[in-house]
Short mmCIF file of all heavy atoms in Angstrom, two decimals:
data_model
loop_
_atom_site.label_atom_id
_atom_site.label_comp_id
_atom_site.label_asym_id
_atom_site.label_seq_id
_atom_site.Cartn_x
_atom_site.Cartn_y
_atom_site.Cartn_z
N HIS A 40 -20.21 4.28 16.75
CA HIS A 40 -21.10 3.83 15.68
C HIS A 40 -20.67 2.47 15.11
O HIS A 40 -20.92 2.18 13.94
CB HIS A 40 -21.15 4.88 14.58
CG HIS A 40 -21.76 6.18 15.02
ND1 HIS A 40 -23.12 6.39 15.08
CD2 HIS A 40 -21.19 7.33 15.46
CE1 HIS A 40 -23.36 7.61 15.51
NE2 HIS A 40 -22.21 8.20 15.76
N THR A 41 -20.02 1.65 15.94
CA THR A 41 -19.56 0.34 15.48
C THR A 41 -20.71 -0.50 14.92
O THR A 41 -20.58 -1.14 13.88
CB THR A 41 -18.86 -0.42 16.63
OG1 THR A 41 -17.66 0.27 16.98
CG2 THR A 41 -18.52 -1.84 16.22
N GLY A 42 -21.85 -0.49 15.58
CA GLY A 42 -22.99 -1.26 15.12
C GLY A 42 -23.46 -0.84 13.74
O GLY A 42 -23.77 -1.69 12.88
N GLU A 43 -23.51 0.46 13.51
CA GLU A 43 -23.92 0.99 12.21
C GLU A 43 -22.95 0.54 11.11
O GLU A 43 -23.36 0.15 10.01
CB GLU A 43 -23.97 2.51 12.28
CG GLU A 43 -24.31 3.21 10.99
CD GLU A 43 -24.24 4.73 11.15
OE1 GLU A 43 -24.36 5.23 12.29
OE2 GLU A 43 -24.07 5.42 10.12
N ILE A 44 -21.66 0.57 11.42
CA ILE A 44 -20.64 0.16 10.45
C ILE A 44 -20.76 -1.33 10.14
O ILE A 44 -20.70 -1.75 8.98
CB ILE A 44 -19.24 0.50 10.98
CG1 ILE A 44 -19.08 2.01 11.17
CG2 ILE A 44 -18.16 -0.03 10.04
CD1 ILE A 44 -17.86 2.41 12.00
N LEU A 45 -20.93 -2.14 11.18
CA LEU A 45 -21.03 -3.59 10.98
C LEU A 45 -22.27 -3.97 10.18
O LEU A 45 -22.24 -4.92 9.37
CB LEU A 45 -21.03 -4.31 12.33
CG LEU A 45 -19.71 -4.26 13.11
CD1 LEU A 45 -19.88 -4.90 14.48
CD2 LEU A 45 -18.60 -4.95 12.34
N THR A 46 -23.36 -3.25 10.39
CA THR A 46 -24.57 -3.53 9.62
C THR A 46 -24.34 -3.28 8.13
O THR A 46 -24.70 -4.10 7.28
CB THR A 46 -25.73 -2.66 10.11
OG1 THR A 46 -26.02 -2.99 11.48
CG2 THR A 46 -26.99 -2.88 9.28
N ALA A 47 -23.71 -2.16 7.83
CA ALA A 47 -23.41 -1.85 6.43
C ALA A 47 -22.44 -2.87 5.85
O ALA A 47 -22.61 -3.34 4.72
CB ALA A 47 -22.83 -0.44 6.33
N ASN A 48 -21.44 -3.26 6.63
CA ASN A 48 -20.45 -4.21 6.15
C ASN A 48 -21.05 -5.59 5.93
O ASN A 48 -20.68 -6.30 4.98
CB ASN A 48 -19.29 -4.29 7.15
CG ASN A 48 -18.15 -5.18 6.68
OD1 ASN A 48 -17.86 -6.20 7.28
ND2 ASN A 48 -17.49 -4.79 5.60
N SER A 49 -22.00 -5.98 6.77
CA SER A 49 -22.63 -7.29 6.61
C SER A 49 -23.38 -7.37 5.29
O SER A 49 -23.42 -8.43 4.65
CB SER A 49 -23.56 -7.59 7.78
OG SER A 49 -24.68 -6.71 7.78
N ARG A 50 -23.95 -6.26 4.85
CA ARG A 50 -24.65 -6.24 3.57
C ARG A 50 -23.65 -6.38 2.42
O ARG A 50 -23.91 -7.08 1.43
CB ARG A 50 -25.46 -4.95 3.44
CG ARG A 50 -26.60 -4.84 4.44
CD ARG A 50 -27.24 -3.47 4.40
NE ARG A 50 -27.88 -3.21 3.11
CZ ARG A 50 -28.26 -2.00 2.71
NH1 ARG A 50 -28.03 -0.94 3.47
NH2 ARG A 50 -28.85 -1.85 1.53
N ASP A 51 -22.51 -5.72 2.56
CA ASP A 51 -21.46 -5.88 1.54
C ASP A 51 -20.96 -7.32 1.49
O ASP A 51 -20.76 -7.89 0.40
CB ASP A 51 -20.29 -4.94 1.83
CG ASP A 51 -20.57 -3.49 1.47
OD1 ASP A 51 -21.39 -3.25 0.56
OD2 ASP A 51 -19.97 -2.60 2.09
N LEU A 52 -20.76 -7.92 2.64
CA LEU A 52 -20.25 -9.30 2.69
C LEU A 52 -21.25 -10.29 2.10
O LEU A 52 -20.86 -11.23 1.40
CB LEU A 52 -19.92 -9.68 4.13
CG LEU A 52 -18.63 -9.09 4.71
CD1 LEU A 52 -18.58 -9.30 6.22
CD2 LEU A 52 -17.40 -9.69 4.04
N ALA A 53 -22.53 -10.07 2.38
CA ALA A 53 -23.55 -10.96 1.83
C ALA A 53 -23.56 -10.88 0.30
O ALA A 53 -23.63 -11.92 -0.39
CB ALA A 53 -24.92 -10.59 2.39
N ALA A 54 -23.45 -9.67 -0.23
CA ALA A 54 -23.42 -9.51 -1.69
C ALA A 54 -22.15 -10.11 -2.27
O ALA A 54 -22.17 -10.71 -3.36
CB ALA A 54 -23.51 -8.02 -2.04
N ALA A 55 -21.03 -9.99 -1.54
CA ALA A 55 -19.76 -10.54 -2.02
C ALA A 55 -19.82 -12.06 -2.09
O ALA A 55 -19.37 -12.68 -3.06
CB ALA A 55 -18.62 -10.09 -1.11
N ALA A 56 -20.36 -12.69 -1.06
CA ALA A 56 -20.48 -14.14 -1.04
C ALA A 56 -21.40 -14.63 -2.15
O ALA A 56 -21.11 -15.61 -2.83
CB ALA A 56 -21.00 -14.61 0.32
N GLU A 57 -22.49 -13.92 -2.35
CA GLU A 57 -23.43 -14.29 -3.41
C GLU A 57 -22.79 -14.15 -4.78
O GLU A 57 -23.08 -14.91 -5.70
CB GLU A 57 -24.68 -13.41 -3.32
CG GLU A 57 -25.78 -13.78 -4.30
CD GLU A 57 -27.02 -12.92 -4.13
OE1 GLU A 57 -27.20 -12.34 -3.03
OE2 GLU A 57 -27.81 -12.81 -5.09
N GLY A 58 -21.90 -13.16 -4.91
CA GLY A 58 -21.23 -12.93 -6.19
C GLY A 58 -20.02 -13.80 -6.42
O GLY A 58 -19.36 -13.67 -7.46
N GLY A 59 -19.69 -14.67 -5.47
CA GLY A 59 -18.58 -15.61 -5.65
C GLY A 59 -17.21 -15.03 -5.36
O GLY A 59 -16.20 -15.57 -5.83
N MET A 60 -17.12 -13.97 -4.56
CA MET A 60 -15.82 -13.39 -4.20
C MET A 60 -15.00 -14.42 -3.42
O MET A 60 -15.52 -15.14 -2.58
CB MET A 60 -16.01 -12.12 -3.35
CG MET A 60 -14.72 -11.44 -2.92
SD MET A 60 -14.97 -10.02 -1.83
CE MET A 60 -15.56 -8.79 -2.98
N SER A 61 -13.69 -14.47 -3.70
CA SER A 61 -12.81 -15.43 -3.02
C SER A 61 -12.72 -15.13 -1.53
O SER A 61 -12.97 -14.01 -1.08
CB SER A 61 -11.40 -15.37 -3.63
OG SER A 61 -10.77 -14.14 -3.29
N GLU A 62 -12.37 -16.16 -0.76
CA GLU A 62 -12.27 -16.00 0.70
C GLU A 62 -11.23 -14.95 1.08
O GLU A 62 -11.43 -14.18 2.02
CB GLU A 62 -11.93 -17.34 1.34
CG GLU A 62 -13.11 -18.28 1.49
CD GLU A 62 -14.20 -17.73 2.40
OE1 GLU A 62 -13.86 -17.03 3.37
OE2 GLU A 62 -15.38 -17.98 2.12
N SER A 63 -10.10 -14.94 0.35
CA SER A 63 -9.06 -13.97 0.69
C SER A 63 -9.53 -12.54 0.44
O SER A 63 -9.22 -11.63 1.21
CB SER A 63 -7.78 -14.26 -0.11
OG SER A 63 -8.02 -14.10 -1.50
N MET A 64 -10.31 -12.33 -0.62
CA MET A 64 -10.84 -10.99 -0.88
C MET A 64 -11.94 -10.64 0.12
O MET A 64 -12.07 -9.47 0.53
CB MET A 64 -11.36 -10.91 -2.31
CG MET A 64 -10.28 -10.94 -3.38
SD MET A 64 -9.09 -9.58 -3.20
CE MET A 64 -10.12 -8.17 -3.60
N GLN A 65 -12.72 -11.62 0.52
CA GLN A 65 -13.72 -11.36 1.56
C GLN A 65 -13.04 -10.97 2.87
O GLN A 65 -13.58 -10.15 3.63
CB GLN A 65 -14.61 -12.58 1.76
CG GLN A 65 -15.60 -12.82 0.64
CD GLN A 65 -16.57 -13.94 0.95
OE1 GLN A 65 -17.19 -13.96 2.02
NE2 GLN A 65 -16.70 -14.90 0.03
#
Side-chain angles (χ1 to χ4, degrees):
H40 295 278
T41 294
E43 177 184 337
I44 297 166
L45 291 175
T46 297
N48 184 245
S49 67
R50 294 172 65 195
D51 284 332
L52 284 168
E57 185 178 338
M60 180 184 285
S61 70
E62 281 297 326
S63 63
M64 290 302 292
Q65 287 186 51

